[in-house]
Amino acid sequence: MKQVKAKIVSNEQVAPRYYKMRLADRYLADNLKPGQFIEVRCSDGSDPLLRRPFGPHRIFSAKGVFEMLYEVVGRATTALSNKKAGEELDIIGPLGNGFTMAKHAIIVGGGIGIAPLLALAEKMGGGKKSALQVVIGARTKEAILCEKDFKRLGAKVIVMTDDGSYGKKGFTTDALKTLLQTPNSQLLTIYACGPRQMMQAVAELSKEYHVKCQLLLEEYMACGVGVCLGCPVKVRKDLVDHEYKMVCKDGPVFDAERIVW
Amino acid sequence: MKPDTSVKIGRLKLKNPVMVASGTFGEEYRELADIRSLGAVVAKTITLKARSGNRPPRLVETPSGMLNSIGLENKGLDFFVKETLPALTRFKAPVIASISGDSEDEFAALARALQKRKGLSALELNLSCPNVKHGSSEGLIAQDAEATGKIVSEVRRATQLPLIAKLSPNVTDITRIAVAAQDAGADAITLINTLFGMSVDIETRRPRLGNVHGGLSGPAIKPVALKIVWDAHKKVKIPIIGAGGIMGHKDAIEFILCGASAVQVGTANFVDPRSAVGAIEGIKEYLVKNKIKSVSQLVGRLET
Ligand SMILES: Cc1cc2nc3c(=O)[nH]c(=O)nc-3n(C[C@H](O)[C@H](O)[C@H](O)COP(=O)(O)OP(=O)(O)OC[C@H]3O[C@@H](n4cnc5c(N)ncnc54)[C@H](O)[C@@H]3O)c2cc1C
Ligand SMILES: Cc1cc2nc3c(=O)[nH]c(=O)nc-3n(C[C@H](O)[C@H](O)[C@H](O)COP(=O)(O)O)c2cc1C
Ligand code: FES
């Protein structure tokens, strides 16, 4: 974990509300793992005040650069979208624990939740390309991200939209259910990130089909390192008791079976 | 000229006046901040038994500030003594424990248990906890001069450690509470803890905090905190530790001019973990630039 000044290589709009930012920093590019995150200071002043968490979208260790794919939803992400190539960003990272790699994976991403999952797929890459299955979902066509990137990796990609404007009409979990109904599906591991309701539905499916499942959770954060106790998620402690764990320090990746919804 | 940044808080001597505030700093920052150079580290408030804290969301950002409703989540006294304290004291900066409880007995029991702990320099009493004795669920101990005095004197009897009473800004007249703490034997007071606040999501028509309301901190509260420190400074003789929206040395010096002998940096640690260390450097430069020999010469020197 370090606090660095990373140089913005590029910051481009890729869809109406989505931007891709490429950042140069040797240390972060060498050390970030898929599923981990960084805390970005999006303005120098006090509005927005707190850093914001983002997951790495693509990591190019050899080139010393990495990318973030982000959605403009509020003050900090608006400020970020106005940054220009050549400027520097104050970043703390890598933070949290990344994904545990498995051989046979299904990736499920809802909305901007797909962004950090590409880094995972690229890391898995290598030989078993065709084994990777990916479900990308969003409300509508414009919010479907990364389809080409996953296809380039040789993954089998299913696209779902709530309104049917692209791919199949329905939820990511509809597609996931079909994939889980195939023989030997219990050998798979699900990796998911997206809206809370989607993650809960994915967790329930993973339980029903006895499939391992890692979720990348999101919570509001202040410190990002486990100091402020501001980003709790309720997990099972043992058979009877629950406890709070911090998304930033104990996560952001959690085994779905531990989460108390 | 090398300016003298040391300050005295009762019997507690600090190499500089900049501490980090309770609940906003921990050894998790060791790779990001030079803990060694801090005036002191105030640990997260502990209670006798572990507490699980409030339901999420626990944080929300507000204009130039943030609301939190952590709910005093902590792992209790035993964990603090076994894990937290040794982890913090190894940096050689003075460590101040922050304690809270539901009763005078709980405060006193904590104080006794911490009395002879190696490396512990002082106790801060977090009095922004519900005033159970007086029955009302909304009231805080720090809103009641009598209850504040009782707890401080009870703890005073239980320990020889320097005692700091941390008070709440959510009162009509801070000087009454501050004087009560002083008269009961506090060596210093910390002003201020967070201000009560709320934030509402108009789309869902729900509060943004799981606990409905929380405590406001950050730059937004600095003017309020300065006024409270100034008011208290005119009435109490014991040192005041100022806190509330301190982001850097300029804010710290404002507090010192208003009467604070030392300061605490809280929310700013989240924004930049090096804020407190930066404030120390900035204070030194200010002293040199203005040819002031020692930081204690600035305390309360507001020209009015
Ligand atoms: C580990 C982690 C990784 C993340 N990775 C990415 C990423 O790769 N790309 C990306 O676009 N975003 C990512 N996020 C979310 C991102 O941090 C938020 O979108 C950002 O903080 C919004 O800031 P803002 O000031 O623009 O919006 P705000 O004004 O703070 O909020 C705008 C809206 O977004 C919602 N919101 C804000 N923060 C969160 C949050 N943490 N969880 C749930 N809802 C939130 C609010 O409810 C509000 O409706 C990640 C979050 C976490 C915790
Ligand atoms: C996330 C968070 C947690 C806090 N926890 C505590 C605590 O446990 N005990 C305490 O006395 N004060 C606590 N505080 C209050 C701070 O110590 C400080 O008094 C207050 O935030 C004002 O200073 P600031 O504006 O610099 O943050 C907390 C503040 C924040 C933001
Ligand atoms: S953001 Fe502070 S504990 Fe997670």
Side-chain angles (χ1 to χ4, degrees), chain A residues 12-243:
Chain A
E12 279 155 19
Q13 192 163 18
V14 294
R17 286 155 40 122
Y18 299 93
Y19 283 76
K20 195 186 275 186
M21 182 182 276
R22 180 176 278 222
L23 289 150
D25 183 78
R26 172 67 53 197
Y27 171 79
L28 287 176
D30 277 343
N31 290 285
L32 272 170
K33 292 191 203 73
Q36 288 188 306
F37 69 99
I38 53 176
E39 278 260 85
V40 179
R41 191 156 179 203
C42 299
S43 92
D44 294 333
S46 64
D47 189 21
L49 178 67
L50 299 170
R51 287 168 188 271
R52 295 292 195 272
F54 296 93
H57 170 58
R58 304 186 75 183
I59 306 163
F60 304 96
S61 301
K63 290 189 197 157
V65 298
F66 65 98
E67 288 176 0
M68 307 187 323
L69 178 62
Y70 61 96
E71 180 179 4
V72 175
V73 294
R75 287 175 298 179
T77 44
T78 300
L80 211 53
S81 70
N82 292 326
K83 301 267 180 197
K84 303 269 177 301
E87 291 179 48
E88 285 184 329
L89 271 192
D90 177 345
I91 296 177
I92 295 175
L95 299 169
N97 308 296
F99 291 109
T100 309
M101 300 287 168
K103 260 200 184 138
H104 307 285
I106 303 185
I107 283 177
V108 184
I112 188 66
I114 196 70
L117 297 173
L118 182 65
L120 171 72
E122 293 194 331
K123 181 97 177 187
M124 287 175 163
K128 286 242 189 292
K129 282 180 186 171
S130 56
L132 181 64
Q133 307 183 85
V134 180
V135 184
I136 305 175
R139 273 183 306 273
T140 183
K141 185 179 174 181
E142 282 74 49
I144 293 292
L145 302 162
C146 312
E147 185 189 357
K148 279 202 198 103
D149 300 305
F150 283 106
K151 283 192 168 149
R152 206 182 320 117
L153 292 172
K156 192 175 149 245
V157 181
I158 302 170
V159 173
M160 306 293 290
T161 48
D162 296 1
D163 62 2
S165 55
Y166 187 56
K168 276 203 204 120
K169 186 176 158 76
F171 297 127
T172 50
T173 40
D174 300 334
L176 177 62
K177 189 162 183 169
T178 318
L179 294 177
L180 292 177
Q181 279 161 348
T182 54
N184 293 330
S185 71
Q186 69 277 10
L187 298 175
L188 292 164
T189 299
I190 302 169
Y191 296 90
C193 182
R196 200 177 165 87
Q197 289 104 308
M198 182 201 100
M199 298 239 248
Q200 181 172 359
V202 169
E204 277 157 16
L205 281 176
S206 74
K207 189 171 175 203
E208 190 182 332
Y209 289 90
H210 308 286
V211 176
K212 286 204 202 79
C213 177
Q214 296 178 35
L215 301 177
L216 199 170
L217 298 188
E218 289 190 2
E219 237 329 310
Y220 296 95
M221 290 184 181
C223 70
V225 299
V227 161
C228 73
L229 307 182
C231 62
V233 54
K234 200 181 260 184
V235 302
R236 267 171 256 285
K237 190 177 180 187
D238 47 46
L239 285 176
V240 272
D241 285 326
H242 299 161
E243 64 180 339

Side-chain angles (χ1 to χ4, degrees), chain B residues 21-24 44-45 68 126 166 192-194 217-218 221 244-245 266-267:
Chain B
S22 180
T24 67
K44 169 87 191 158
T45 300
N68 87 79
N126 178 357
K166 182 170 181 179
I192 59 175
N193 211 319
T194 52
S217 65
I221 73 169
T267 301

